Amino acid sequence: MTLKVESPYILAEGEGEAPWFSGGLLTYKTTGDQTGGRLAIAEVLAPEGTGSPKHLHHHEDEAWYVIDGELTFFVGETQHLAGPGSFVFGPRRVEHRFEVTSPQARFLILVTPAGFEDFTRICGHPATSPTMPPPDLPPKDVQLLMDAARVHGLEILDS
């Protein structure tokens, strides 16, 4: 759904563009297409043990708000266990990663300016149901991931 920046809109629970990415389900509540490139927000549903490798963003700041479950965040030199109601901010050019440490977690990812959603479109799979990815989902090619990261201003620091 592409809207003019001036157009207000409302998405109900479960609505929004939804890729399976990095072991979880992302449901975009807004993307750069709807905000003139200013902001992207995704609601994430992810199982224990999933998360992101250590990386940094050259173009955007990233923040997380935990709704349910627990995640461990590593931002710069700090480590923080974040439960429901926790907010974590990762400024651009600061290395970070996170891991879901409860059986399941639901959280928001906020990215400003927008653009990270383009990376997840390339590196994820379009979700065919509003569930966790199926266990037999084929992995994306590592070279595709690295090339997409470079194009989108991401630096993957480990894998």
Side-chain angles (χ1 to χ4, degrees), residues 21-100:
F21 176 76
S22 194
L25 172 70
L26 279 67
T27 303
Y28 278 100
K29 295 303 186 178
T30 196
T31 67
D33 294 337
Q34 290 117 355
T35 65
R38 294 187 296 258
L39 173 69
I41 299 175
E43 180 178 347
V44 182
L45 180 63
E48 185 171 16
T50 59
S52 66
K54 184 168 39 170
H55 66 284
L56 59 83
H57 301 256
H58 288 284
H59 304 303
E60 59 269 327
D61 299 317
E62 187 172 16
W64 305 265
Y65 180 80
V66 181
I67 300 167
D68 293 311
E70 289 185 335
L71 296 93
T72 299
F73 287 91
F74 304 85
V75 180
E77 300 297 317
T78 65
Q79 178 179 335
H80 181 72
L81 182 63
S86 295
F87 177 81
V88 179
F89 178 70
R92 67 191 76 190
R93 293 182 290 279
V94 173
E95 63 184 48
H96 59 275
R97 70 180 182 87
F98 67 87
E99 181 178 339
V100 175

